[in-house]
Amino acid sequence: MGQAGVRESLLSAAYTALARRPWTAVRMVEVAAVAGVSRQSLYDEFGSKWGLARALVRREVDAHLAGVDRALATQGDASERLATVGEWTVSSAWRNPLVHAMLTGCWSEGLPAPTLAAVPSSSASPVQRRAEGPLPSPADFVALVRDRAVTVPSAPGASTADMAGLARSCELVARLALSCVTAPPGGCGVTDLVRNALHRQADTGRRRALVGDL
């Protein structure tokens, strides 16, 4: 198993341990044993328990954003893709407590709560130095999703006005999805909420255009 495989095994072992007990009760020696490496190898890779925590959070952030990219790559028009993004955002947060904490900024006592600002790094590993860099805030997530969504669904030759409107739609969906993470929708699902919101937004835009033409 190469170094990347060792790192991934350690992160997976840490995630499994966190699912079973509070982070304060997770022991480095147990994480190393589950991953099949020495305790020293674990410290060589992450530097400390907080280095491991930060790398774990970074991995889950990246996995969540990769899911956003997959949702945007699905078939359908822009509104359908954005609805899929909304559904993924909520399901990812409900399934993964670290993603939930990152999206909402609310960290339970059982989770590690790394500072969002970059921390000093002495690691020789580029991937660990990246983990010790800044982590996204809830507002950063909105911007990250918006920027991704603007580039993927836009048609070739789209006007500046079209792009601005799409950016507003993307941000609307991202914020609506975050609201559903903290306050789950009732009878209708996230997808229906997003579709209805985009439909109302489009109607408002058409009415304003008509008024402007008068």
Side-chain angles (χ1 to χ4, degrees), residues 67-161:
V68 170
D69 291 337
R70 288 193 300 272
L72 290 170
T74 56
Q75 297 296 318
D77 60 18
S79 62
E80 287 301 313
R81 293 182 183 188
L82 291 177
T84 304
V85 169
E87 187 67 41
W88 162 256
T89 298
V90 175
S91 63
S92 175
W94 287 349
R95 185 176 61 252
N96 189 322
L98 290 175
V99 172
H100 189 284
M102 288 297 299
L103 291 176
T104 63
C106 299
W107 296 80
S108 70
E109 292 183 358
L111 297 176
T115 175
L116 298 182
V119 297
S121 177
S122 59
S123 175
S125 166
V127 67
Q128 184 60 21
R129 289 200 300 272
R130 179 171 178 266
E132 292 168 351
L135 293 168
S137 68
D140 292 332
F141 270 107
V142 171
L144 287 167
V145 172
R146 180 196 63 214
D147 293 346
R148 279 170 159 77
V150 165
T151 57
V152 175
S154 57
S159 68
T160 301

Side-chain angles (χ1 to χ4, degrees), residues 47-74:
S48 66
K49 186 176 180 181
W50 280 110
L52 173 62
R54 198 170 187 89
L56 181 58
V57 171
R58 181 77 257 179
R59 185 186 76 159
E60 300 311 310
V61 167
D62 290 344
H64 175 73
L65 292 175
V68 170
D69 291 337
R70 288 193 300 272
L72 290 170
T74 56

